[in-house]
Amino acid sequence: MSAGTRRIRPGALLVIALVVVAIAVVATGILPAADAGALAGRTVPVLGFVVAITIVAELARDAAVFDVVAQYLARWGGGRVLALWGAVILLAVVSTVFLSLDTTAVIVTPVVVLLAQGVGVSPLPFALATVWLANTGSLLLPVSNLTNLLAASRIGTDPGAFLALSWAPALAGVLVPVLILTVAHRRTLWGRYTAPPAARPTDRVLFLVSAAVLVALLPLLALVRDVWIPAAAAALILVVLFAFRRRQALRLGLVPWQALGLAGGLFVIVEAAHARGLAALLAPLAANGHDVGELLRVAGIGALAANGIDNLPAYLVLEPLASHDPVALMALLIGVNLGPLVTPWASLAILLWHHRITALGVSVPWGRFALWGLVAASLTVVVAVLALAAVS
């Protein structure tokens, strides 16, 4: 094996294999050309949004926006750990809802962990909060999760239709995990700390413009149907700004190539499987009504599949079970968004999060993570389904 091959990580090899298989599936006609064209029309805007919002988040981090926000949160906490906890929860929720769960896992996690370590507080509850809320807080808006973006057009023609069904279970997705963590870590959270000195960005222009772009972008992501348009505009503004102020920050690594390959490959392979009979095979599991038991069944299947094979392929495989029923489709989203807290591979966000906290010296054994995750996922999914039944 050559040195170049040894540098390729197993995850990257898996993505390359998926892309190769996807190309072969299209080239050989296993996925018919008409179906491939329809799939591209549905997924290209979604992937375009993923690229744009990732660039925005990464450049905002380079401009120290998240660092400064965290420092302000620490000062606003007034030396009370419980107040700091509430501020961090707010940051994680806003980040997840508007900038997607991977932003919270990759960018907010190290900021929050370093903040806790800097003020002398155990970083464990703060680290768990970011990874749990990256998943359970990702139900409110279409932009919060790639699964939501895929489901949004089937739930309604405008963002309001999605929000009408998502707001109550999304609220449960935040409150239940936060309550569990607060009770479990109450001794840590009931204390005091010394606020750190105010952080100053090295380039004030970069910081102010990046912060302004984020502030302008957040409401647009909640109000606009074609979210890739404002996200792409924001990314273009920041790229041009950095080209003049900090050119070295513009690197190919800003584009999430691995996530794109993973998502694109899965889109094609699962669509081909549906075209060749998988949808018919799953038909007996399709949703049948809106009673609580039926919604719990759909959400439970989604949660089990997400923890077994990752939430994105789980959604893609199971979408036909509920694609013609917005309420059932929201129940499926509850399962694949709020349920993947048990296994390390349940969502890409968990793997990204674990890589970040390990690099910062925070250890969370997978056995302990799975046990707490099982408790949190079970309670959260059930309460969220009950909330969905109440509003639908």
Side-chain angles (χ1 to χ4, degrees):
M1 181 180 291
S2 67
T5 303
R6 286 196 299 270
R7 286 196 294 267
I8 301 177
R9 295 179 178 179
L13 287 174
L14 172 62
V15 172
I16 293 171
L18 281 174
V19 171
V20 170
V21 171
I23 293 172
V25 163
V26 175
T28 58
I30 295 176
L31 178 63
D35 291 345
L39 177 66
R42 181 187 178 198
T43 59
V44 168
V46 171
L47 296 178
F49 170 78
V50 171
V51 173
I53 203 65
T54 301
I55 292 173
V56 169
E58 290 285 355
L59 292 180
R61 173 175 62 177
D62 284 347
V65 172
F66 292 98
D67 292 322
V68 172
V69 168
Q71 294 293 330
Y72 272 112
L73 294 180
R75 291 165 61 192
W76 291 339
R80 298 183 301 276
V81 178
L82 194 60
L84 178 64
W85 172 247
V88 166
I89 295 300
L90 178 62
L91 174 62
V93 170
V94 170
S95 170
T96 300
V97 167
F98 292 100
L99 301 177
S100 85
L101 72 167
D102 290 340
T103 296
T104 302
V106 175
I107 294 177
V108 174
T109 291
V111 170
V112 167
V113 168
L114 289 172
L115 173 62
Q117 291 173 334
V119 299
V121 177
S122 171
L124 181 58
F126 296 89
L128 287 173
T130 56
V131 71
W132 280 12
L133 291 174
N135 289 281
T136 65
S138 67
L139 190 66
L140 185 63
L141 299 178
V143 299
S144 307
N145 198 319
L146 184 55
T147 55
N148 298 356
L149 284 169
L150 294 169
S153 62
R154 299 176 185 268
I155 289 178
T157 56
D158 63 89
F162 190 97
L163 187 61
L165 288 177
S166 69
W167 73 267
L171 186 62
V174 172
L175 294 180
V176 174
V178 169
L179 179 61
I180 292 172
L181 286 173
T182 302
V183 172
H185 297 276
R186 59 191 180 277
R187 293 181 180 177
T188 297
L189 301 177
W190 204 263
R192 300 191 66 85
Y193 67 91
T194 301
R200 296 182 180 275
T202 56
D203 189 320
R204 188 168 177 80
V205 172
L206 277 181
F207 168 75
L208 291 175
V209 176
S210 299
V213 167
L214 276 182
V215 169
L217 179 62
L218 296 190
L220 292 176
L221 295 179
L223 299 173
V224 176
R225 179 183 178 184
D226 296 321
V227 291
W228 68 270
I229 297 176
L236 180 60
I237 291 171
L238 292 184
V239 166
V240 171
L241 175 67
F242 271 78
F244 284 98
R245 308 281 307 184
R246 191 179 293 169
R247 184 181 296 271
Q248 67 272 21
L250 300 178
R251 56 199 184 277
L252 286 176
L254 289 175
V255 178
W257 300 108
Q258 191 163 327
L260 288 180
L262 177 67
L266 287 172
F267 289 158
V268 171
I269 293 169
V270 174
E271 186 68 18
H274 284 312
R276 295 296 173 177
L278 179 60
L281 185 65
L282 294 174
L285 298 177
N288 183 25
H290 295 166
D291 62 274
V292 174
E294 189 67 12
L295 296 178
L296 281 172
R297 183 180 69 85
V298 173
I301 292 173
L304 287 173
N307 282 289
I309 61 173
D310 184 85
N311 67 329
L312 179 57
Y315 173 80
L316 293 172
V317 168
L318 298 174
E319 185 184 59
L321 303 185
S323 59
H324 301 295
D325 185 337
V327 177
L329 194 55
M330 185 58 67
L332 177 60
L333 288 176
I334 288 173
V336 299
N337 288 10
L338 279 59
L341 298 180
V342 183
T343 60
W345 56 84
S347 77
L348 179 61
I350 294 176
L351 295 174
L352 295 172
W353 165 84
H354 189 262
H355 176 71
R356 292 300 190 276
I357 65 165
T358 301
L360 295 171
V362 179
S363 175
V364 181
W366 283 122
R368 183 178 181 185
F369 178 89
L371 180 60
W372 277 105
L374 179 61
V375 173
S378 302
L379 291 175
T380 304
V381 168
V382 169
V383 175
V385 168
L386 294 176
L388 172 63
V391 299
S392 63

